[in-house]
Amino acid sequence: MSYIPVEYPKEKPEFYAMLRRQLALYMGEEQNLTARLANTSAVLAQAFPDANWTGFYLVDGDSLVVGPFQGKPAVSRIGFGKGVCGTAWAQRKSQVVEEVSCFAGHIACDCDTHAEIVIPLWDGENIWGVLDMDSVLPGYFTDQDRIGLEEAVKLLRPC
Ligand code: SME
């Protein structure tokens, strides 16, 4: 399927309704998990123009390993409980960080980053990875984004 540019609405409920429709298009045509995550990272990069990194870290034993993403090269592995991603995994809870320099243990991949959001990916009771997004704008991600993204990533479940 070729990418059809879309104009995302400014209001969050409409924005997330469109984001889910966009993701569903790609999830519907491909069952392979790498393809699903790769296209999701690209859709998110288009939808969030002020995000400088959109992608995934996937559980691999006792660490998270980087998966498909859009952005600058990033740290390959993050330990359980380390950084914002490892904290989301350990606490089993999304993290919304207004200013990463204020988050103890934040792992910096791009010194332009100010805000970050990390959303666990669930398969029943198990976390199999996290969605990670960074922004150059402080306070860019809000609780509305947490709610919208938690709903959106349900489309990604491993097949
Ligand atoms: N900042 C993350 C590391 C990954 S990069 O943002 C892509 C963290 O603290 O876990």
Side-chain angles (χ1 to χ4, degrees):
M1 187 181 74
S2 56
Y3 178 70
I4 301 161
V6 287
E7 185 99 3
Y8 281 91
K10 295 242 177 304
E11 296 302 318
K12 295 286 182 179
E14 291 79 13
F15 174 93
Y16 278 102
M18 177 165 282
L19 181 66
R20 287 196 303 274
R21 282 199 298 277
Q22 287 296 108
L23 291 176
L25 290 175
Y26 292 96
M27 300 310 110
E29 79 162 13
E30 181 55 66
Q31 298 292 302
N32 178 275
L33 183 61
T34 303
R36 290 159 78 94
L37 299 181
N39 267 330
T40 298
S41 66
V43 167
L44 291 170
Q46 298 288 324
F48 292 84
D50 290 313
N52 55 335
W53 203 92
T54 58
F56 296 92
Y57 281 89
L58 306 176
V59 172
D60 183 31
D62 60 0
S63 60
L64 295 166
V65 66
V66 74
F69 68 92
Q70 302 268 308
K72 291 182 184 164
V75 60
S76 296
R77 283 191 183 263
I78 297 174
F80 186 73
K82 302 294 183 194
V84 186
C85 293
T87 298
W89 182 23
Q91 293 186 0
R92 301 168 70 80
K93 191 168 170 286
S94 298
Q95 307 289 313
V96 182
V97 181
E98 288 186 14
E99 177 50 66
V100 292
S101 59
C102 300
F103 187 101
H106 167 255
I107 300 164
C109 292
D110 180 344
C111 56
D112 289 336
T113 296
H114 282 281
E116 180 160 5
I117 190 166
V118 179
I119 310 286
L121 307 175
W122 295 93
D123 183 18
E125 292 294 301
N126 297 320
I127 292 175
W128 56 274
V130 299
L131 165 68
D132 181 20
M133 294 173 63
D134 294 337
S135 173
V136 295
L137 302 179
Y140 182 64
F141 301 108
T142 66
D143 208 49
Q144 276 187 302
D145 293 309
R146 176 188 64 75
I147 293 165
L149 290 169
E150 284 177 350
E151 193 58 36
V153 298
K154 289 179 186 167
L155 294 165
L156 300 176
R157 273 174 213 282
C159 310

